[in-house]
């Protein structure tokens, strides 16, 4: 929130480096400039006062410090001078550096010793009452820029021009280095550059547990004791660029920082920006200081201006001077409140006079979180204050990982990477008024490099197979916009811009597409018109994923569940990492990877990320084979297997970088660029370095080794995994010449393992490996190995496996049957759910009545056979007679005529002979 309090400005010195310091009682302030003058200001007067001036220096003033009785100055004329408090008259000479410029002076908390740094590589500690007593701290590689004392006076921190911070233990007669911290502050070689003017002091918190320092990644970092680890960092979207100065309030509640956007006041407890004040765009603030006795902040800039910000802390907020609970030690051990009695009385209340909130009300088993280690919840902290001024952290919630772009880095020395992957890189150079964007490629024969001027100051980028995708943030009345530049001649004909509504900004970008079959340097022969220009996905602050075609046509806008984190695109899909819910109290980020198809926007997979608790995602990408891969801060590399099978994907751990042989005994980390079948392409970072810098470092290839705990060969499992991934990408044939070749090579590897198992007489291992062979001739070779080692019983079992393989289905047939079963198991998901199908009912065929139709019967009773019927009737009457027994006797005429041709037909049908005629 912008502050409305009053600032007073005075042109104190000529333009150039200017420094400022307060007396220890806060009644006076001192400013020194390039005009070799030191002015003494009364803090109870306004900016129009006429200050007293010290004229003794021959060259520009470079450092100021105050003790209880004196104030001291260092200048480019190699001398450190002492003056009585508030007086401009020279009191004495502390040291002459014999031609070396004085860079820093610092008086210890007791006011008895002064530490002095020059252009030389040593630090000298001089006693103020006896200047001949000098301690020399040597061993620095380059000159030192700033010096600060620990509140106890036993440690001295020296910030060097080589980017190191050295913590010296000076409590004993012989000083020694307690810790050398490398990779935090930037290294600056040129003492005349503007970057050398930045105040890189290690500003100690009054508690003495940690100090703040501006990092080379443009963050404010807290380094804690006794481990000297990075505890947390402060960053804000509005505070961009390098931090030029830091200052802590007297009680440690507030931290002030400066950058090109202005002055920011942070809360050291919530780690949020509370108030800000606009700075001068034409000047660099070189030093910043809180008054030790009143609500006032002062700073000096390269324009020679002195500014007082009166009442920077508004009324109603904790005082910046008085000791409060917020300024105490953030992590203490307190006691749990005792259990009340049955009557409701607290048995311990009498020990404290009825004052609640004291330390003794809690058991000693309640350990309060330390300074937060960067995992505190920014919005949901619950704190209770003790009577002794300490803070009890009641709940520690994991800090949610913010959105990031894979392959990007923060601004470092006005340069940064927007993208860095297997295609190439995008780097930008800040020219204050605009950016210079450079797009480079690893294979310059396939794509043409390009650079251009960027007035929009793009801050998000993605390098795809078919084009470059860039986005700029909104600024005042200018909305955020996305620009896509397809590869080719880099003409503006194929470029297009997508503009977001006012108030929205781009969180992430991804550009997918098919890999080019030919060079894209010449668009006429690249096949681009046939293969298209890819697909574009934009994640916005409105909580949506916008899908666009490579020509800029909006296709669909999908709502994203939870918070967006990052994404990467392949040929067929985009994998989006998001947080559907909240982080957990035990350190889990709760991230989920969702694969969305480019064709029909179908969700192919939705799998939680296997990131260990307390760690965050560092990189996401697509392997050369097309599988999603991730890398986390714990050093684990995972790839998603079976991702083409709906709802059957899982994460396979490919690598644990902590167990690499090359890392043993070294302080290094790895910044992934891409992943192939057996190689991790990365940039190796030394020490505490977190990102690659400039000039662009060379990428290196690390062999991928599965983190098996036993000494089993990892090549077999790794190759089997990649063969399955390749088979899933094929059609119904499920085989190809390349796949057959890889299976033959895998069989050769298995044969070697079978030979070793036969030699060791491990029959179960031999049978297991034999069943994994792909071809029958490979099984025959395994049988020969068993016979060679006189394992007759094992050889018979292998021959049985061979016969079973020959008589049974082939591996390809088994794969087809497995795929068919999976499709049947997944068929239920294609059925419409109840009450969600509004299509007309399907046509059902039922057996029913048919319309009647006349049938013509051809027999002796039909009209056409009337003569035959009359003849038969007359024959029956003429030949009928009565037997003596009163029974009818069948005669030969009756037998022949009555049956006629029908009887003969029946006999012929059953194969019986004709009856002979009786005469």
């Amino acid at each position: 929130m912008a502050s409305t309090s009053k600032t007073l400005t005075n042109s104190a010195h000529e333009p150039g480096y200017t420094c400022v310091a307060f007396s220890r009682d806060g009644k006076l302030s001192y400013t020194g400039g390039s005009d070799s003058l030191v002015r003494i200001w009364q803090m109870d007067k306004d900016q129009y006062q006429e200050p007293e001036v010290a004229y003794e220096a021959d060259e520009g003033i470079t450092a100021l410090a105050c003790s209880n009785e004196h104030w001291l100055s260092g200048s480019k004329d190699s001398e450190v001078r002492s003056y009585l408090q508030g007086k401009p008259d020279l009191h004495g000479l502390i040291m002459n550096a014999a031609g070396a410029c004085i860079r820093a002076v610092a008086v210890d908390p007791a006011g008895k010793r002064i530490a002095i740094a020059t252009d030389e590589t040593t630090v000298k500690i001089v006693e103020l009452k006896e200047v001949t007593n000098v301690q020399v701290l040597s061993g620095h590689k380059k000159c030192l820029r700033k010096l600060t004392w620990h509140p106890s006076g036993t440690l001295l921190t020296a910030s060097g021009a080589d980017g190191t911070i050295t913590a010296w233990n000076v409590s004993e007669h012989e000083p020694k280095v307690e810790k050398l911290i490398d990779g935090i502050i930037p290294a600056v070689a040129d003492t005349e550059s503007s970057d050398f003017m930045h105040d890189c002091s290690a500003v100690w918190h009054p508690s003495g547990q940690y100090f703040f320092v501006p990092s080379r990644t443009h963050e404010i970092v807290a380094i804690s004791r006794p481990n000297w680890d990075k505890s947390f960092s402060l960053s804000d979207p509005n505070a961009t660029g390098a931090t030029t100065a830091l200052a802590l309030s007297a009680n440690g509640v507030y931290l002030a920082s400066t950058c090109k956007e202005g002055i920011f006041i942070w809360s050291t407890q919530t780690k949020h920006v509370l108030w800000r004040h606009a700075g001068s765009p034409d000047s660099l603030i070189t030093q910043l200081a809180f008054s030790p006795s009143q609500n006032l902040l002062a700073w000096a800039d390269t324009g020679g201006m002195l500014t007082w910000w009166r009442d920077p802390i508004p009324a109603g907020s904790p005082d910046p001077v008085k000791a409060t609970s917020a300024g105490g030690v953030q992590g203490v051990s307190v006691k749990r409140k005792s259990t009340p009695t049955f009557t409701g009385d607290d048995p311990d209340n009498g020990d404290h006079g009825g004052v609640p909130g004291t330390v003794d009300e809690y058991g000693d088993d309640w350990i309060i979180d330390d300074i937060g280690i960067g995992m505190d919840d920014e919005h949901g902290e619950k704190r209770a204050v003790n009577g002794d001024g300490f803070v009890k952290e009641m709940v520690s919630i994991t800090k949610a990982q913010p959105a990031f772009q894979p392959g990007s880095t923060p601004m470092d020395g006005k340069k940064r990477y927007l993208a860095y992957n297997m295609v190439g890189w995008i780097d930008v150079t800040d020219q204050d008024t605009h950016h210079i964007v450079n797009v480079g490629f690893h294979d310059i024969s396939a794509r043409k490099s390009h650079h251009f001027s960027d007035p929009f100051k793009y801050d998000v980028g993605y390098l795809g197979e078919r084009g470059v995708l860039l986005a700029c943030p909104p600024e005042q009345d200018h909305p955020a916009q996305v620009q896509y530049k397809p590869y080719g001649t880099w003409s503006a004909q194929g470029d297009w811009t997508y503009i977001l509504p006012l108030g929205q900004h781009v969180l992430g970008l991804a550009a997918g597409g098919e890999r080019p079959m030919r060079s894209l340097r010449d668009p006429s022969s690249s096949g681009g018109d046939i293969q298209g220009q890819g697909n574009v996905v934009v994640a916005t602050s409105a909580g949506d994923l916008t899908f666009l075609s490579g020509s800029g046509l909006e296709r669909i806008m999908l709502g994203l569940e939870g918070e967006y984190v990052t994404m990467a695109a392949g040929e067929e899909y985009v994998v989006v990492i998001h947080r559907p819910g909240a982080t957990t109290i035990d350190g889990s980020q709760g991230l989920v990877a969702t694969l969305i198809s480019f064709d029909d926007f179908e969700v192919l997979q939705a799998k939680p990320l296997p990131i260990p608790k307390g760690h965050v995602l560092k990189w996401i990408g697509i392997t050369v084979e097309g599988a999603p891969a991730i890398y986390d801060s714990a050093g684990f590399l995972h790839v998603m297997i079976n991702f083409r099978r709906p709802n059957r994907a899982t994460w396979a751990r490919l690598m644990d970088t902590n167990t690499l042989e090359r890392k043993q005994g070294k302080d290094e980390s790895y910044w992934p660029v891409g992943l192939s079948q057996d190689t991790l392409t990365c940039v190796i970072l030394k020490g505490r370095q977190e990102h690659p810098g400039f000039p662009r470092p060379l990428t290196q290839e690390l062999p991928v080794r599965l983190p098996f705990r036993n000494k089993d060969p990892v090549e077999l499992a790794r190759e089997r995994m990649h063969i399955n991934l390749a088979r899933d990408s094929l059609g119904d044939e499920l085989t190809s010449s390349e796949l057959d070749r890889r299976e033959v090579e895998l069989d050769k590897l298995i044969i070697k393992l079978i030979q070793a198992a036969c030699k060791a007489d491990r029959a179960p291992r031999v049978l297991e490996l034999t069943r994994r062979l792909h071809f029958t001739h490979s099984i025959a070779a395994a049988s020969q190995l068993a016979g060679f080692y006189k394992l007759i019983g094992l050889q018979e079992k292998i021959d049985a496996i061979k016969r079973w393989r020959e008589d049974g289905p082939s591996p390809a047939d088994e794969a087809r049957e497995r795929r068919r079963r999976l499709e049947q198991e997944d068929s239920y998901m294609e059925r419409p759910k109840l009450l969600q199908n509004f299509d007309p009912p399907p046509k059902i065929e039922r057996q029913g009545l048919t319309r009647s139709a006349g049938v013509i019967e051809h027999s002796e009773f039909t009209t056409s056979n009337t003569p035959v019927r009359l003849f038969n009737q007359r024959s029956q009457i003429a030949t009928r007679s009565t037997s003596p027994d009163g029974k009818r006797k069948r005669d030969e005429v009756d037998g022949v005529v009555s049956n006629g041709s029908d009887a003969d037909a029946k006999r012929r049908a059953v194969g019986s002979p004709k009856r002979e005629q009786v005469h």
Side-chain angles (χ1 to χ4, degrees):
M1 163 173 83
S3 176
T4 58
S5 54
K6 185 178 180 181
T7 58
L8 306 178
T9 304
N10 194 307
S11 181
H13 299 275
E14 295 180 359
Y17 180 81
T18 310
C19 49
V20 61
F22 280 100
S23 62
R24 296 203 171 187
D25 57 7
K27 295 180 180 180
L28 300 170
S29 66
Y30 303 87
T31 59
S34 59
D35 52 6
S36 71
L37 303 178
V38 177
R39 300 186 187 274
I40 307 173
W41 305 84
Q42 303 289 332
M43 299 312 299
D44 56 353
K45 299 181 180 179
D46 58 18
Q47 76 272 28
Y48 302 111
Q49 61 179 289
E50 188 65 29
E52 295 187 276
V53 182
Y55 300 94
E56 282 74 19
D58 296 328
E59 297 185 42
I61 304 297
T62 56
L64 294 172
C66 294
S67 66
N68 297 326
E69 300 174 355
H70 301 85
W71 67 270
L72 304 102
S73 69
S75 56
K76 291 183 177 181
D77 59 5
S78 309
E79 293 186 350
V80 178
R81 299 174 176 87
S82 173
Y83 302 79
L84 292 176
Q85 198 67 262
K87 303 297 182 180
D89 301 325
L90 180 65
H91 180 264
L93 184 65
I94 301 298
M95 191 189 77
N96 189 305
C101 174
I102 305 297
R103 293 299 176 185
V105 294
V107 180
D108 69 348
K112 298 179 179 180
R113 296 175 295 175
I114 180 173
I116 304 171
T118 67
D119 278 344
E120 298 176 348
T121 59
T122 59
V123 178
K124 295 182 179 179
I125 301 178
V126 182
E127 289 190 10
L128 291 176
K129 291 186 178 180
E130 184 57 54
V131 295
T132 58
N133 293 337
V134 180
Q135 278 185 321
V136 180
L137 312 180
S138 59
H140 304 280
K141 296 181 180 179
K142 292 187 178 181
C143 70
L144 299 170
R145 298 169 60 187
K146 295 295 178 182
L147 301 172
T148 52
W149 286 91
H150 187 269
S152 65
T154 59
L155 293 175
L156 178 69
T157 49
S159 301
D162 58 351
T164 61
I165 301 175
T166 307
W168 288 91
N169 189 334
V170 294
S171 59
E172 300 177 358
H173 180 71
E174 290 294 333
K176 61 181 180 180
V177 176
E178 183 164 324
K179 185 65 176 180
L180 179 65
I181 305 173
D182 190 10
I184 299 295
I185 62 175
V188 182
D190 186 5
T191 59
E192 300 298 328
S193 65
S194 59
D195 291 343
F196 198 87
M197 297 183 184
H198 296 179
D199 189 351
C200 59
S201 301
V203 182
W204 284 96
H205 190 271
S207 66
Q209 288 191 351
Y210 58 98
F211 63 80
F212 294 99
V213 65
S215 71
R216 59 191 183 88
T217 59
H218 301 174
E219 295 178 326
I220 302 173
V221 177
I223 306 296
S224 62
R225 295 181 62 203
N227 297 327
W228 303 98
D229 294 330
K230 176 182 175 181
S231 298
F232 60 91
S233 60
L234 306 180
S235 60
D236 188 89
N238 296 318
T240 60
T243 301
T244 61
L246 291 178
L248 265 171
S249 62
N251 55 11
V253 176
Y254 304 104
L255 175 72
S257 67
T258 62
C259 60
K260 63 181 181 180
E261 279 76 17
I263 298 90
F264 296 82
I265 298 181
W266 308 71
S267 169
T268 58
Q269 300 295 311
T270 64
K271 307 174 184 65
H272 284 164
V273 172
L274 303 179
W275 305 282
R276 60 177 297 186
H277 190 282
S280 175
D282 301 328
S283 300
L284 173 71
I285 296 177
T286 54
Q287 202 158 14
L288 187 67
F290 268 104
S291 171
S293 60
Q294 57 180 309
N295 187 6
L296 185 142
L297 183 65
W299 63 83
D301 58 33
T302 54
M305 303 297 292
L306 169 65
T307 303
W308 295 337
W309 184 3
R310 295 192 180 275
D311 299 325
I313 312 302
S317 301
D319 191 89
V321 178
K322 298 179 180 179
T324 63
S325 59
V329 182
Q330 292 186 352
V332 293
S333 175
V334 297
K335 295 183 178 180
R336 186 184 301 276
K337 191 174 182 179
S338 58
T339 305
T341 63
F342 179 77
T343 58
D345 299 331
D346 189 348
D348 293 337
N349 273 348
D351 297 339
H352 308 293
V355 180
T358 54
V359 176
D360 294 337
E361 290 183 355
Y362 296 85
D364 55 6
D365 59 341
W366 184 258
I367 304 301
I368 302 305
D369 186 32
D370 202 326
I371 56 178
I373 61 174
M375 305 301 286
D376 293 335
D377 186 16
E378 297 182 353
H379 305 287
E381 295 180 350
K382 298 181 180 180
R383 299 176 181 267
V385 181
N386 283 334
D388 57 4
F390 294 112
V391 177
K392 300 190 297 295
E393 184 73 46
M394 305 304 293
V395 178
S396 177
I397 306 295
T398 304
K399 183 179 179 180
Q401 181 179 3
F404 72 95
Q405 193 71 7
S408 65
T409 65
M411 188 70 73
D412 184 8
K414 294 189 175 183
K415 294 181 73 69
R416 63 173 296 194
Y417 294 101
L418 294 184
Y420 203 147
N421 55 24
M422 295 296 286
V423 177
W425 65 92
I426 307 174
D427 64 73
V428 299
T429 304
D430 187 3
Q431 300 290 338
D432 294 333
T433 59
H434 64 282
H435 285 175
I436 300 298
V437 180
N438 178 42
V439 182
F441 302 99
H442 301 299
D443 184 6
I444 59 176
S445 64
R447 300 175 179 88
K448 183 180 179 181
S449 301
H450 184 63
H451 67 274
F452 57 92
S453 178
D454 164 33
F456 302 103
K457 296 187 176 182
Y458 295 123
D459 63 342
V460 183
Y462 194 93
L463 205 60
E465 292 287 349
R466 291 283 166 178
V468 177
L469 192 59
L470 300 166
C472 66
E475 184 177 359
Q476 297 180 355
D477 296 335
H478 299 282
Q481 65 181 27
V482 178
Q483 187 175 22
Y484 186 62
K485 294 176 173 292
Y487 301 141
T489 60
W490 291 102
S491 63
Q493 182 178 1
D495 297 0
W496 51 266
T497 302
Y498 181 73
I499 301 177
L500 272 64
L502 283 173
Q504 297 184 14
H505 59 275
V506 176
L507 298 179
L509 297 173
E514 298 182 16
R515 290 187 176 90
M517 297 180 296
R518 301 178 182 176
S519 173
L520 292 178
R521 295 176 66 94
D522 183 8
S524 62
S525 61
S526 64
D529 295 336
I530 300 176
Q531 292 182 298
Q533 295 179 343
N535 297 276
V536 172
V537 186
V538 181
T540 71
S541 58
D544 64 77
L545 293 174
T546 302
F547 287 73
L548 302 100
S549 66
S551 60
L553 178 65
E554 287 184 291
R555 301 181 62 194
I556 198 172
M557 187 179 295
L558 302 181
L560 183 63
E561 181 183 2
E563 299 178 1
Y564 168 85
V565 177
T566 187
M567 62 180 169
E571 294 186 10
E572 309 168 17
Y573 62 87
V574 58
V575 53
V576 182
I577 307 299
H578 58 108
R579 185 182 299 103
T583 58
T584 60
I585 199 171
D586 58 353
S588 176
Q589 288 290 328
L591 301 180
V592 173
T594 301
L595 271 68
I596 304 176
S597 171
F598 282 134
D599 291 336
D600 51 6
F601 313 108
E602 178 184 6
V603 175
L604 305 177
Q605 306 288 344
K607 296 295 294 183
L609 266 60
I611 299 178
K613 295 179 180 179
H615 293 275
V616 295
L617 179 66
K618 285 292 186 180
W619 172 82
I620 180 174
I622 308 297
T623 67
V624 176
E625 292 77 18
I630 60 172
Y631 182 79
D632 56 46
S633 58
F636 295 137
L637 178 67
H638 292 83
V639 65
M640 182 182 286
I641 61 175
N642 303 329
F643 69 95
R644 298 183 186 276
R645 307 176 188 176
N647 303 307
R648 286 179 173 80
T650 187
W651 292 103
R653 182 168 295 180
L654 285 186
M655 193 175 183
D656 182 4
T657 57
N658 301 300
T659 61
L660 294 178
E661 295 181 0
R662 61 161 294 126
K663 191 176 181 180
Q664 305 308 315
K666 297 181 181 179
D667 186 9
E668 66 180 25
S669 57
Y670 310 99
W671 198 76
V673 174
L675 179 65
S676 62
Q677 178 178 341
D678 54 0
T679 302
L680 172 65
T681 304
C682 65
V683 175
I684 298 180
L685 307 177
K686 300 296 184 180
R688 294 181 177 269
Q689 188 179 3
E690 296 183 358
H691 309 282
F694 294 88
R696 182 174 58 86
L698 296 176
T699 58
Q700 300 191 32
E701 295 183 350
L702 300 179
V704 173
R705 180 178 177 83
L706 298 181
F708 288 169
R709 295 177 177 87
N710 296 330
K711 295 183 178 180
D712 294 330
V714 299
E715 295 82 2
L716 176 62
R718 185 185 63 204
E719 184 65 19
R720 180 75 264 172
M721 181 191 308
H722 289 291
I723 287 178
N724 290 335
L725 287 173
R727 177 173 282 114
D728 288 342
S729 64
L730 299 177
D732 295 335
E733 292 298 327
L734 292 179
T735 185
S736 64
S737 59
E738 175 63 21
L739 200 60
D740 291 341
R741 184 193 62 80
R742 295 175 64 176
E743 289 179 344
V744 168
E745 295 297 327
L746 184 59
D747 278 5
K748 293 180 180 178
L749 176 61
I750 296 176
I751 289 296
K752 294 180 180 179
L753 299 178
I754 290 176
Q755 181 180 6
C758 289
K759 187 176 182 180
D761 196 11
R762 301 180 63 181
R765 175 65 62 87
V766 173
L767 295 176
E768 177 186 354
L769 293 173
T770 302
R771 285 191 290 268
R772 295 188 181 185
L773 293 171
H774 299 85
F775 303 100
T776 55
H777 62 268
S778 300
I779 302 178
S783 177
Q784 293 176 3
L785 284 174
F788 176 80
Y789 287 98
K790 309 301 181 182
L791 303 174
I792 306 304
L794 181 60
Q795 185 178 14
E796 293 177 354
K797 294 180 180 180
I798 295 177
D799 292 337
I801 294 176
K802 178 183 177 183
R803 290 192 298 271
W804 172 79
R805 181 68 63 84
E806 291 174 344
D807 298 338
S810 64
D813 294 335
E814 292 179 352
R816 294 189 190 95
E817 179 63 22
R818 189 183 307 111
R819 178 177 291 187
R820 187 188 63 83
R821 289 198 306 267
L822 295 177
E823 292 176 353
Q824 289 180 352
E825 294 176 5
D826 296 336
S827 60
Y828 75 95
M829 294 185 295
E830 300 178 358
R831 302 173 185 172
K833 296 181 179 180
L834 185 63
L835 302 179
Q836 292 188 4
N837 184 12
F838 301 99
D839 296 335
K843 182 179 179 181
I844 302 177
E845 298 290 344
R846 293 187 177 92
Q847 185 178 4
L849 298 176
T850 58
R851 183 174 298 177
S852 61
V855 178
I856 301 177
E857 183 180 1
H858 298 280
S859 65
E860 59 178 335
F861 299 100
T862 58
T863 305
S864 60
N865 294 334
T866 300
V868 178
R869 187 172 61 253
L870 293 177
F871 174 77
N872 291 338
Q873 289 177 356
R874 288 195 298 268
S875 298
Q876 291 177 2
I877 295 174
T879 60
R880 186 175 298 170
S881 61
T882 303
S883 64
D885 298 333
K887 296 182 179 180
R888 179 177 176 271
K889 182 178 179 181
R890 185 185 300 268
D891 55 5
E892 56 191 16
V893 177
D894 189 10
V896 175
V897 176
S898 62
N899 295 323
S901 61
D902 293 338
D904 294 338
K906 292 180 179 179
R907 292 190 187 100
R908 287 193 300 268
V910 297
S912 59
K914 294 184 179 180
R915 182 186 300 176
E916 294 181 359
Q917 191 174 4
V918 180
H919 296 280

